[in-house]
Structure formats: structure tokens, C-alpha cells
């Protein structure tokens, strides 16, 4: 049964990826009169209405800071669908957007061949043109959207992974909230499961997509200091850190410290949360707004956030999971206007402050973490906690996340092998070795 | 006698419930507040009962336009394709012409080519020839499906006697007149089956509208409903309400063409 055969959509992505680089060559850059001022309607593609709202609200500020008067024409579709659509439109030579948001897991398709450099505007010189900006931007959030020294999108978030826990249950069950290491947490979690039937960690399993299955493992792997790919896009998964992390999760499943759930956002998780089967879990900061709030609004005030416990053998206190990079399509009449729009909404201090207050996404500029207003913000869902201060303290530990054009292949083969390891069919070592072998076999590298 | 059928009926009822369960769950969920959709233990009957999901579906996005777009495109595509398939099937079944076997072989072999493979080339061709407007281009891929032509050809070979056609020719009927007045009426059961199949193909299509349409007011239903689901906040409540409405045209078509559909399928089964 594992790994799952590629779906039609996966095959399409592959076919599009392979064919697009060559086809784009034929498209070439036509003669375009570049708009440098005045009224401009930017075509914006995104998967999330939250981004649409953010950019619409940013228009007055962008109008004030530039020579343009902006209007937005927004198209929404699924994250992977947007890339499929973009590539098809680019090959056809019409209908591409001016600005597009790439969910981080969908961006690797743009890294195949020279698709990104041919299709997207390199933002490196624009960043360099703003005094102090280059050094202020967090390199960890530029890495996923970079290729060969070019930067093709600007991230929406510094999506740190933190530990969410139910403060009311921890108090009721007399559990410490400052447990230092994962190993201690695992012992604690086993007792909690035995005494109360609850778990303190979650992995996503059968029923969810490969991305979700991988994410459960990915968070702790990166926290431990491991990675999927290095800066050159080479697979580095088969490592002692990865084996240790996977063994930790497998052991946790046996003791009940870890619970397996089919979907972080769907019915299974909602039920587990409502019935107190999940008393805590590691997840990215955005999970509060997009996972907990929609699923268990009645638990407002009961949740708290802390940094991840450390692994005894090393690593940091956080990881990063998710993100959406906004890029600009090159050689179009609105390219300059779109770049200016991004710089003056997405990257200004005010824009980054607004992004956190309106969408819950953390700044990608180091200096914004010193903003007094953000540091004073209290979070009602988390019992009035000043979360931003916590996030600021975790910032130095955010690891870079490098992507490969063949990431989707890795996710498919890794998801299957992770599930086999969780079920006990293979050892963590075997699962990782098999993943590496399957990946190299299918990706040809 | 009745007693011996109890296991059979029991099995059928269980199967029926299994098939209906997702639809019933969607119907029930569409009338529940968002927080109750995944409530545990699950309740089939909404309590409280609310129409809020439907109200927000219609007020928050151009749902009626998506519905209209899907239904009109599917109906036009179905009407045109059923006629084209019947005509082409008649040609392959009853006429001799040079290259017929080769042409039929090519047409038949195209059944094995997934639509995803021809998606981009088809899109490029339509754009380059100036025929890329959504109303036209959304219909084009469904106009002459190989499966439909093959199905019609098979049915005509089995069900339309050459002697009837020869008699009509002797009586002076034109070839198109024969097709219209003799062949088409004989094909009615299989046309009904093909129409239902073709309607669902077009109505449920996702990839092609995705590539073709950028203006959200021109989205088809699958595309529109997908945008409600893929945002960071998965709007199950709106998706369920939309899915319930989306089922209506397909069910209506099935009810209208039920007789022809069953007749067409059973005829095919008997004559296999």
C-alpha cells in the first residue's frame, strides 16, 4: 500500500514542471510598456482571503509611498492549483498575474529547471535598494524562496513551532508547565495517557495528505537540528537526528504520549480537542488562528503557549513550519508597480506590524520584533499571554528551510515510510533508509 | 418466499444506507452551526437547525454565478456532444470510407490519454487561435468525447439494422434525414445514458476551468467550492451547503432521463 501511487494531479504537476521550462523559452519577453506611475490594477492570485484583506487595507499606504494609485483584481484558488494555473498561463503567454502568493509547499515546482528565473522577478536588487532592509530580513525566511542567489518571493510569516497546551487540564492534573526536555515530556505524557486517556503530542496519519503526515515529523526533526535538504537541495534526511526524532515519535505512539490523528484541521482533531484527548501539541504559531480557534472556540482562555522542550542530545527550542511567499511575475507592464506594492505593504515596519495584528503572522524583519506595541499585545485565546515576547525570545533558534524541486517526491515516499514506522512495520532506521532509496530512485539524484 | 428474500433486502438496504450516508451527512451538516458539524457524538438531525450557512453562501460569494456557469456549460456541452457523438458514431458504424479503420483506431486509442496530458496544449491552441473565452473554451473539451463516439458506434452497430436505412434511401430520404428521423429515435435509450455521463463529466470538471478561468465570478461550482475549502480557515459549513445545492442539477437530470438511462444500460448489458 505504501508509498501511495502518484495522483493524476501529481502527474500533471510533473508534466507541467518538465515541460514548462522549455516552453517558457519560446514565450520570451514581448514588448511591454512599463507603467511607472498613475492608476494601476494589479492582478493578485492567492489561496487565502486573509491575504486579500491585508493587501486591500495596505493600498492607501502604498499609494502614499509610491507614484502609483493601486487597485486590486484578486483570483483565489488552492495553493497547488495556483502554480498549475500560473505555469499553464505562462506557457500560453497570457493571463499571468502580477503578484502571486506561493504556499511554501507549492513553491518547489517553481524551482525546477529555470522556471523561477524565467518567470519571476528577482527581488534581490529591490531589497538591496532599500537602506538596511537586506540585513534586517531574516535569512531563514528568504532561503525557501531563493535559487542560485536570486530571491523570488517574500515570506508572509516567520512560522515558528511552539508548544500549545491546555492550562486548565495541566492545572487539574497537576502537571508541570516548564518541563525542560522532550524526554521528560515523554515520560510525563505516558503517565497522562495512562491516568487520563489524553496525549501531549500529535502526529498526523492515515487519511490526511502526505504533506500533513510529513509535517508532524518535520517540526521535531528541524527542531532537533536535522533537515530534509541542504542549501544545495541535496537530500540530507538520512541522519542520526532524523532517526532519533522518528524513534521518539514511534515510542511516543506506543506509550500514548503521542496520539495519531488523521487531520490537524478536520473532524478527528476537533473531536480529540473537544473530548480532551489532546491536552497539548507542537504546532506552528498560526495554528492558534487556523486550527484551534475555528475548531474549539469554546476553549478560549484555556490554552497557553510555550517554547518547545529541548531534545537532550541537541537542537533548538523551535522550528519553522509553513509560510507563503509573494512573488512578482517578470517582464510585465505592472512588474515595477507590483514590486513597489510588495515593498510598501509587505515589508514596511507598519505593514509587518499590521500583518501580525490582523493575520497573526510573525514579522520577517528582525527590527520589527522590538516594536513596543507588538510586545505589549495580549492574547485573549491564550489567557492574556503576551505571546509576541515569547516569539521574540525564540527568534534566534528559527532554522532555515531549504527546498528542492523534487520535494513532492520526498513527501510522497516519506509519508508512506513514516506511516509504516508508526505502525511498527519497519524500524525508524529502515524507514529513513528506504525513504532515501525511494527518493533517489524516483528523483534520479 | 418473502422470508428467503429478507437477507437480500437487508443487504440492499445496508448498501443503500452506505451509499447515502455521505449525502445525508452533508445535508445534515449544511443546516448545522459550524461548531456542530464535527460534534462528538455525532448527531444526524441538526439541533439547532439553521439556514445561516446557505445565507452566507449566497451573500458572501458569487455562488449563483458559479451555479449558473456550471449548469449552463454542462447543459450546452451535453447537448452538443450527444449530437456529435451520435453523428460520428453513425458514420463509423454505417459508412465505408478511406482510412476509416485508422481513424477509428486513433479515436479509440485516445481513450487511454488522460485529460491532464492534453490540458496545456489544448489551452495554448485555444488561446493562440483566439478562442480562449471562458464560455466557449469551457465547452470545447467535452464536445466530441472518444468514449461517447465509441459508445454510439457500438450501439448503432447492434441496434440499427442496415435494411431500415436501405429502405429509407430507396424512399428518397437524405442521409442527414435518415440520421435525424430514423437513427436518432432508435438511439434514445443510449443517448439518455450518454447525456447523464457527459453532463457529470462537464459538471464535475475541475482542472480545465482552473486553468482557463481567472475571474472568480466566472468560476464553475467545483472551482468555487474549492476556494471556500482551501483557505487557511476551512469553511466546511459553506462547502457542505454548496455541495448540497450542487447535487441538485445532476439528480434532476437523472430523474428526467432515468427511463432512458436504465433502458440504455440494460440493453447494453443484454446485447453485451
Amino acid at each position: 500500500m505504501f508509498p501511495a501511487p502518484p495522483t493524476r494531479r501529481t502527474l500533471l504537476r510533473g508534466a507541467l514542471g518538465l515541460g514548462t521550462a522549455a516552453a517558457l523559452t519560446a514565450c520570451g519577453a514581448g514588448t511591454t510598456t512599463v507603467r511607472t506611475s498613475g492608476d494601476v490594477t494589479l492582478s493578485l492570485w492567492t489561496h487565502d482571503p486573509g491575504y486579500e484583506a491585508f493587501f486591500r487595507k495596505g493600498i492607501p499606504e502604498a499609494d502614499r509611498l509610491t507614484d502609483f494609485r493601486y487597485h486590486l483584481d484578486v483570483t483565489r484558488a488552492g495553493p497547488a492549483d495556483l502554480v498549475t494555473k500560473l505555469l499553464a498561463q505562462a506557457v500560453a503567454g497570457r493571463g499571468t498575474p502580477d503578484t502571486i502568493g506561493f504556499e511554501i509547499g507549492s513553491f518547489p515546482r517553481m524551482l525546477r529547471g529555470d522556471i523561477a528565473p524565467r518567470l519571476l522577478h528577482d527581488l534581490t536588487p529591490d531589497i538591496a535598494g532599500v537602506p538596511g532592509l537586506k540585513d534586517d530580513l531574516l535569512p531563514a525566511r528568504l532561503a525557501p524562496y531563493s535559487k542560485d542567489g536570486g530571491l523570488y518571493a517574500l515570506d508572509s510569516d516567520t512560522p515558528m513551532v511552539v508548544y500549545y497546551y491546555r492550562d486548565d487540564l495541566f492545572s487539574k492534573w497537576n502537571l508541570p508547565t516548564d518541563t525542560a526536555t522532550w524526554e521528560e515530556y515523554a515520560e510525563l505524557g505516558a503517565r497522562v495517557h495512562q491516568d487520563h486517556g489524553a496525549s501531549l503530542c500529535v502526529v498526523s496519519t492515515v487519511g490526511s495528505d502526505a504533506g500533513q503526515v510529513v509535517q508532524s515529523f518535520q517540526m521535531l526533526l528541524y527542531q532537533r537540528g536535522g533537515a530534509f535538504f541542504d542549501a544545495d537541495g541535496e537530500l540530507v534526511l538520512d541522519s542520526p537526528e532524523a532517526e532519533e526524532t522518528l524513534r521518539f515519535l514511534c515510542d511516543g505512539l506506543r506509550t500514548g504520549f503521542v496520539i495519531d490523528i488523521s487531520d490537524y484541521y478536520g473532524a478527528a482533531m476537533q473531536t480529540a480537542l473537544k473530548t480532551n484527548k489532546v491536552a497539548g501539541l507542537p504546532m506552528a504559531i498560526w495554528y492558534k488562528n487556523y486550527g484551534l480557534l475555528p475548531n474549539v472556540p469554546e476553549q478560549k482562555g484555556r490554552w497557553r503557549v510555550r517554547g518547545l522542550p529541548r531534545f537532550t542530545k541537541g537542537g533548538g527550542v523551535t522550528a519553522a513550519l509553513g509560510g507563503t511567499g509573494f512573488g512578482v511575475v517578470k517582464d510585465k507592464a505592472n512588474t515595477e508597480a507590483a514590486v513597489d506594492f510588495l515593498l510598501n505593504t509587505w515589508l514596511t515596519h507598519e505593514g509587518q506590524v499590521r500583518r501580525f495584528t490582523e493575520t497573526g503572522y510573525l514579522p520577517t524583519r528582525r527590527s520589527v520584533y522590538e516594536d513596543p506595541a507588538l510586545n505589549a499585545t495580549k492574547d485573549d485565546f491564550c489567557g492574556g499571554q503576551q505571546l509576541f515576547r515569547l516569539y521574540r525570545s525564540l527568534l534566534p533558534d528559527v532554522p532555515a528551510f531549504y527546498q528542492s524541486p523534487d520535494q513532492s517526491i520526498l513527501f510522497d515516499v516519506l509519508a508512506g515510510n513514516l506511516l509504516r514506522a508508526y505502525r511498527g512495520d519497519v524500524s525508524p532506521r529502515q524507514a529513513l533508509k528506504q525513504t532515501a532509496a525511494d527518493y533517489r530512485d524516483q528523483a534520479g539524484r | 418466499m418473502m422470508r428467503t428474500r429478507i437477507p437480500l433486502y437487508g443487504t440492499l438496504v445496508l448498501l443503500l444506507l452506505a451509499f447515502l450516508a455521505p449525502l445525508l451527512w452533508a445535508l445534515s451538516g449544511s443546516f448545522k452551526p459550524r461548531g456542530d458539524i464535527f460534534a462528538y457524538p455525532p448527531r444526524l438531525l441538526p439541533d439547532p437547525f439553521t439556514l445561516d450557512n446557505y445565507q452566507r453562501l449566497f451573500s458572501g460569494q458569487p455562488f449563483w454565478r458559479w451555479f449558473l456557469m456550471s449548469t449552463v456549460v454542462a447543459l450546452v456541452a451535453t447537448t452538443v456532444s450527444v449530437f456529435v457523438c451520435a453523428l460520428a458514431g453513425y458514420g463509423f458504424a454505417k459508412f465505408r470510407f478511406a482510412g476509416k479503420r485508422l481513424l477509428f483506431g486513433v479515436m479509440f486509442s485516445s481513450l487511454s490519454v488522460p485529460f491532464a496530458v492534453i490540458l496545456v496544449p489544448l489551452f495554448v491552441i485555444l488561446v493562440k487561435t483566439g478562442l480562449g473565452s471562458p464560455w466557449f473554451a469551457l465547452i470545447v473539451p467535452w464536445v466530441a468525447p472518444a468514449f461517447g463516439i465509441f459508445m454510439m458506434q457500438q450501439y448503432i452497430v447492434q441496434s440499427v439494422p442496415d435494411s431500415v436505412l436501405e429502405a429509407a434511401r430507396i424512399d428518397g430520404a437524405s442521409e442527414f434525414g435518415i440520421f435525424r428521423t430514423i437513427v436518432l429515435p432508435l438511439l434514445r435509450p443510449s443517448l439518455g445514458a450518454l447525456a447523464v455521463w457527459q453532463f457529470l463529466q462537464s459538471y464535475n470538471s475541475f482542472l480545465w476551468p482552473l486553468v482557463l478561468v481567472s475571474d472568480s465570478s466566472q468560476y464553475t461550482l467545483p472551482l468555487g467550492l474549492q476556494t471556500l475549502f482551501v483557505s487557511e480557515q476551512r469553511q466546511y459549513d459553506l462547502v457542505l451547503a454548496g455541495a448540497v445545492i450542487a447535487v441538485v442539477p445532476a439528480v434532476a437530470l437523472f430523474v428526467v432521463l432515468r427511463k432512458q438511462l436504465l433502458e440504455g444500460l440494460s440493453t447494453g448489458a443484454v446485447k453485451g
Side-chain angles (χ1 to χ4, degrees):
Chain A
M1 186 172 174
F2 302 105
T7 61
R8 279 182 66 180
R9 195 169 291 180
T10 306
L11 287 172
L12 169 67
R13 286 180 199 148
L16 277 172
L18 289 169
T20 302
L24 287 174
T25 309
C27 295
T31 53
T32 316
T33 306
V34 176
R35 287 194 187 88
T36 55
S37 63
D39 280 297
V40 60
T41 300
L42 293 181
S43 164
L44 169 74
W45 289 5
T46 177
H47 67 281
D48 190 339
Y51 293 126
E52 177 182 352
F54 174 86
F55 282 117
R56 284 199 190 283
K57 281 190 185 173
I59 287 177
E61 183 72 351
D63 285 352
R64 192 174 64 78
L65 294 172
T66 69
D67 295 327
F68 296 101
R69 284 187 305 280
Y70 288 105
H71 310 273
L72 285 182
D73 181 9
V74 178
T75 294
R76 276 173 54 202
D81 301 330
L82 285 178
V83 180
T84 300
K85 189 175 172 68
L86 173 68
L87 297 179
Q89 303 282 15
V91 171
R94 72 139 216 201
T96 51
D98 299 312
T99 308
I100 176 170
F102 297 102
E103 193 274 331
I104 192 168
S106 302
F107 189 74
R109 289 167 65 195
M110 303 299 295
L111 297 174
R112 188 171 293 281
D114 55 358
I115 293 176
R118 280 195 178 278
L119 195 54
L120 299 177
H121 176 80
D122 181 5
L123 295 156
T124 313
D126 306 290
I127 302 291
V130 180
L133 180 57
K134 187 182 171 206
D135 294 333
D136 201 23
L137 283 168
L138 295 166
R141 300 320 297 165
L142 300 178
Y145 306 100
S146 298
K147 182 183 170 80
D148 300 334
L151 174 65
Y152 298 103
L154 296 165
D155 209 331
S156 62
D157 193 6
T158 303
M160 300 173 192
V161 176
V162 290
Y163 189 77
Y164 294 91
Y165 65 96
R166 284 279 299 279
D167 191 51
D168 56 331
L169 295 181
F170 269 56
S171 296
K172 188 175 162 188
W173 297 339
N174 290 320
L175 306 177
T177 58
D178 57 352
T179 308
T181 67
W182 272 121
E183 288 76 5
E184 292 171 81
Y185 233 95
E187 285 182 25
L188 186 68
R191 288 206 302 274
V192 168
H193 182 72
Q194 197 170 15
D195 296 343
H196 308 288
S199 297
L200 300 182
C201 189
V202 175
V203 293
S204 186
T205 53
V206 181
S208 40
D209 54 58
Q212 270 203 42
V213 175
V214 168
Q215 279 179 1
S216 310
F217 169 67
Q218 179 188 337
M219 289 186 284
L220 298 190
L221 170 67
Y222 276 72
Q223 185 210 349
R224 175 64 186 86
F228 291 154
F229 300 100
D230 64 14
D232 297 322
E234 297 299 322
L235 188 73
V236 291
L237 173 67
D238 192 7
S239 65
E241 290 84 3
E243 187 179 342
E244 183 192 333
T245 306
L246 183 52
R247 177 162 289 116
F248 176 76
L249 289 172
C250 292
D251 291 346
L253 281 164
R254 314 266 179 277
T255 65
F257 160 58
V258 181
I259 186 173
D260 56 320
I261 300 277
S262 62
D263 182 359
Y264 278 109
Y265 311 92
M269 181 60 110
Q270 190 180 50
T271 302
L273 290 170
K274 283 180 185 292
T275 54
N276 299 338
K277 294 284 184 197
V278 172
L281 76 159
M283 244 299 183
I285 59 129
W286 41 260
Y287 191 68
K288 185 198 71 175
N289 282 1
Y290 299 114
L292 296 177
L293 261 168
N295 280 318
V296 281
E298 74 279 6
Q299 291 179 2
K300 179 181 177 182
R302 299 183 204 166
W303 285 89
R304 297 290 184 277
V305 177
R306 55 159 288 185
L308 296 175
R310 286 183 182 277
F311 280 100
T312 308
K313 290 184 179 174
V317 287
T318 190
L321 184 75
T324 293
F326 274 84
V328 172
V329 176
K330 70 189 291 191
D331 298 333
K332 295 188 70 178
N334 289 344
T335 297
E336 185 180 324
V339 172
D340 279 6
F341 186 69
L342 268 190
L343 290 178
N344 291 291
T345 52
W346 213 227
L347 287 191
T348 60
H349 184 98
E350 293 73 19
Q352 300 232 320
V353 169
R354 197 163 61 81
R355 209 193 303 170
F356 180 73
T357 53
E358 290 175 6
T359 65
Y361 294 136
L362 283 171
T364 51
R365 292 182 66 164
R366 218 182 307 265
S367 60
V368 184
Y369 284 82
E370 303 306 320
D371 187 276
L374 290 183
N375 281 285
T377 308
K378 292 183 177 177
D379 191 290
D380 290 341
F381 190 80
C382 294
Q385 255 190 302
Q386 291 183 306
L387 292 179
F388 196 85
R389 292 183 179 202
L390 168 68
Y391 300 148
R392 186 180 63 176
S393 72
L394 301 178
L395 189 61
D397 271 12
V398 174
F401 180 70
Y402 297 105
Q403 307 209 83
S404 158
D406 298 314
Q407 188 165 288
S408 62
I409 295 174
L410 174 70
F411 277 31
D412 281 342
V413 296
L414 178 58
N417 284 307
L418 284 178
L419 293 173
R420 292 169 67 201
Y422 291 159
R423 286 198 315 236
D425 295 345
V426 296
S427 71
R429 179 95 200 104
Q430 287 170 320
L432 293 170
K433 283 193 90 64
Q434 189 61 48
T435 299
D438 291 346
Y439 172 81
R440 295 200 166 98
D441 186 36
Q442 292 191 35
R445 56 164 97 191
Chain B
M1 184 68 178
M2 188 62 196
R3 190 175 293 173
T4 59
R5 288 192 173 180
I6 287 175
L8 174 67
Y9 288 140
T11 307
L12 288 175
V13 168
L14 285 176
L15 280 173
L16 180 70
L17 287 175
F19 281 112
L20 280 180
L23 189 63
L24 291 176
W25 186 80
L27 185 66
S28 165
S30 71
F31 294 111
K32 289 177 181 173
R34 180 175 186 166
D36 284 2
I37 292 173
F38 297 118
Y40 185 85
R43 283 192 309 268
L44 186 60
L45 293 178
D47 182 22
F49 181 93
T50 178
L51 293 172
D52 184 54
N53 298 337
Y54 288 92
Q55 284 167 350
R56 285 189 297 118
L57 182 69
F58 294 128
S59 61
Q61 39 273 313
F63 183 80
W64 276 126
R65 288 192 63 94
W66 298 345
F67 184 80
L68 188 70
M69 195 80 185
S70 276
T71 309
V72 171
V73 164
L75 281 176
V76 173
T78 302
T79 307
V80 175
S81 73
V82 164
F83 179 77
V84 169
C85 289
L87 197 60
Y90 178 52
F92 279 124
K94 297 295 180 186
F95 289 86
R96 289 184 178 183
F97 54 89
K100 175 180 162 181
R101 287 171 65 92
L102 177 68
L103 196 59
F104 190 77
V106 170
M107 186 275 298
F108 188 74
S109 63
S110 71
L111 278 171
S112 62
V113 180
F115 182 70
V117 173
I118 62 163
L119 177 91
V120 172
L122 181 63
F123 179 60
V124 172
I125 289 169
L126 286 173
V127 169
K128 300 292 184 197
T129 52
L131 301 173
S133 76
W135 279 105
F136 181 81
L138 279 173
I139 294 168
V140 165
W142 315 113
V143 163
F147 171 77
I149 296 172
F150 175 70
M151 181 180 167
M152 288 297 106
Q153 187 264 354
Q154 290 291 297
Y155 196 88
I156 291 168
V157 165
Q158 293 171 359
S159 307
V160 181
D162 288 340
S163 55
V164 177
L165 304 179
E166 288 301 326
R169 286 187 187 112
I170 291 168
D171 287 344
S174 68
E175 287 301 332
F176 187 74
I178 294 172
F179 171 73
R180 186 171 59 81
T181 57
I182 297 175
V183 178
L184 274 183
L186 287 172
L187 292 181
R188 271 185 66 184
S190 59
L191 289 179
L194 179 62
V196 171
W197 178 81
Q198 186 60 28
F199 182 87
L200 293 178
Q201 288 288 310
S202 171
Y203 192 70
N204 292 330
S205 165
F206 178 81
L207 261 181
W208 182 239
L210 168 74
V211 169
L212 195 71
V213 185
S214 290
D215 181 348
S216 59
S217 68
Q218 292 182 321
Y219 277 6
T220 54
L221 265 179
L223 207 49
L225 292 178
Q226 169 83 340
T227 62
L228 299 178
F229 189 71
V230 296
S231 67
E232 301 291 3
Q233 293 167 316
R234 301 186 180 195
Q235 303 179 80
Y236 288 101
D237 42 357
L238 300 188
V239 171
L240 289 182
V244 167
I245 297 175
V247 168
V248 173
V251 172
L253 188 75
F254 176 80
V255 170
V256 170
L257 296 176
R258 185 183 64 225
K259 189 179 164 192
Q260 285 87 347
L261 179 65
L262 294 177
E263 202 176 325
L265 292 177
S266 59
T267 304
V270 171
K271 296 194 173 182

